Structures are given as structure tokens and as C-alpha cells.
Amino acid sequence: MRDNRARKRVKSEVNELKGILVEGIHHWGFSIRVPKTSAGGSSYPYVPISTILGALSRGYCTSYAVKDEISCTYEFVQFYKNYIFWVAYGVDEPRLIPYSDLMRQERVPYRKLNYRKPGQEKDWFGVSAFGKTYGEGVRFSIALIASERVEELSKLAWQVVALGSKESLVSIINVRNVDVVEDNASDTISTQFYIPAVCASGLDPSEFKEFELPVLNAYRLSETPAEGVFDSFWIPVRGPLIGGYGTLTRDKISEDCKVFRLEDKYLIAPREGLKRWLK
């Protein structure tokens, strides 16, 4: 009797969850790097959770971007963390590849006042390797699972114009609300979305590669460096190319995680969802 009540409770909780599928296209790719680090640095290979939250917050943060040295994204996260259960990103094809461009960047803010005087302009710029992930015309999907405020989040998804730096332009081509189904039957799962490393182990290295990605950024923009919150995720790969679909069997998935289906797309998340990190 107790087990039946527990199963009914879990089923009820899943039924209360609603899904949002966002489809878009990368114009050229993206550049997403650790905030407040050196000018040179590599880009993350996949759009992390922190960047999705930041992109959604752009439509929310209409009155200010930074106040009292705190990013408006922090306010967005604090407000919606009770409603967003999970977010994940994936691309349809394995066409993403990290690389670096050489760029001549302004260094004036980093130089002492004695070196900002007229006549010293030649020292105001420097060459740095600027990390990017190339993927021109690559179609992506963002899966979002929420308990409430689904319509609000759908509207915010339509307002996403970039994933990463402001130059990392995207075009959103479709946003639709869908049902969320907990899948306990499929023996084999094929997914384009990243999987938290705590949710799976022993994955085929030709299908997935483990990367450390940010879940939360450093939203307090003070002078003291802060790195945010990071964790490890499995990302689908094909040789040196990143993206597409990776396949794993049910026995590789931890009992502390769940498999969800949104229409024909599968994703794997911890049972507690984003609350694993968003305290």
C-alpha cells in the first residue's frame, strides 16, 4: 500500500511538470567563457545551464542590467528557481568545433593611470587568443521543464537573441509547450542534451565526452574574482566534432536520476533537478 502511494505521488509530481521546447539556429556559433578571467581563454563546447538562464533573463531584465554591483540575472534566478525544474541544451548534428581567433583587444582598463596618457596609445592594445565554438547554421534545441509560470518562460524564450556573448547571435524559430512524460520503460535512450555526470557512468567514449560546465555564474560583479558553480556533464560527440545524438543503455543511468520525454526528445536529470545546485 505504501509503495502504491509513493508511485502515485511521483506520478502526480511528474504530471504537474510542463515542458517547453525551444528550437533555434546559431548564426555562426558562440563564445562562452569563464567570466572575469584573462582575456585569452577557450570557449565551452556546449551552451551550459548558466548561459541558458542568462539568455532567458534578458527579456526579464528590462529595467536594469546591473544594480549595486549585482547582475539582474541573479534576481531572475532567485525568482524562477522555485519554478524551473530543469534546462538543457543540445544540437541536431555533430557540427560544433572549438577554436580560437587572434584578436587585438583594448587593454586600457587593465593599465595603471601612468600608462593611460596621450602618446602611449600603442600600448593600449594587445593580441589575445579569443575562444569560440564554431557552428554556422547549426540547429539547436533547449528543453525546459517547469512546474509553474510556463507561459511567462515561453515568452522569455522567444526573446532570446544570443547564447553566450552578445555577438553569439541566434534566431529562435519555434517555442512550444509540451507534455512531460517520465520514461521508465525504454532500455536504450538516445539524447542530444548533456547529461549530469552524477546521472550516468561508463558511457561509450565514442558517444559521449565529459566536460566541466558552469551551472551558475558569478553574479556579484565586484572586484573580487568569483568563478560561480561548476559540475561535470556528459556531452554527445563524434570524434573531434561535438553535438548530435548519443546513445546509452538504461543500466548506465543512476537511480538518483530520471529519464524524461518531451515529445520525441529524451533528457536525463537528477531527481531534485536544478535544486541540486540552486539552493
Side-chain angles (χ1 to χ4, degrees), residues 143-196:
L144 191 153
I145 299 176
S147 58
E148 296 181 53
R149 299 186 179 273
V150 175
E151 292 299 327
E152 293 176 18
L153 291 166
S154 296
K155 291 177 181 179
L156 292 175
W158 274 115
Q159 298 177 64
V160 171
V161 296
L163 288 173
S165 63
K166 63 181 182 296
E167 298 85 5
S168 305
L169 298 175
V170 301
S171 291
I172 302 300
I173 58 178
N174 194 15
V175 178
R176 60 186 186 276
N177 298 343
V178 299
D179 291 331
V180 176
V181 178
E182 184 179 347
D183 185 289
N184 296 312
S186 301
D187 293 327
T188 302
I189 294 96
S190 181
T191 183
Q192 67 186 133
F193 302 107
Y194 38 61
I195 304 169

Side-chain angles (χ1 to χ4, degrees), residues 28 36 39 66 105 116 154 159 182 203 255 257 259:
W28 60 266
K36 298 174 19 175
V66 178
Q105 297 179 314
R116 300 185 188 182
S154 296
Q159 298 177 64
E182 184 179 347
L203 302 188
E255 293 182 355
C257 299
V259 179

Side-chain angles (χ1 to χ4, degrees), residues 120-158:
Q120 298 176 330
E121 291 86 350
K122 65 181 180 62
D123 298 321
W124 290 358
F125 299 87
V127 176
S128 298
F130 194 87
K132 301 177 181 179
T133 298
Y134 183 74
E136 181 184 2
V138 170
R139 293 176 67 102
F140 66 85
S141 294
I142 294 173
L144 191 153
I145 299 176
S147 58
E148 296 181 53
R149 299 186 179 273
V150 175
E151 292 299 327
E152 293 176 18
L153 291 166
S154 296
K155 291 177 181 179
L156 292 175
W158 274 115

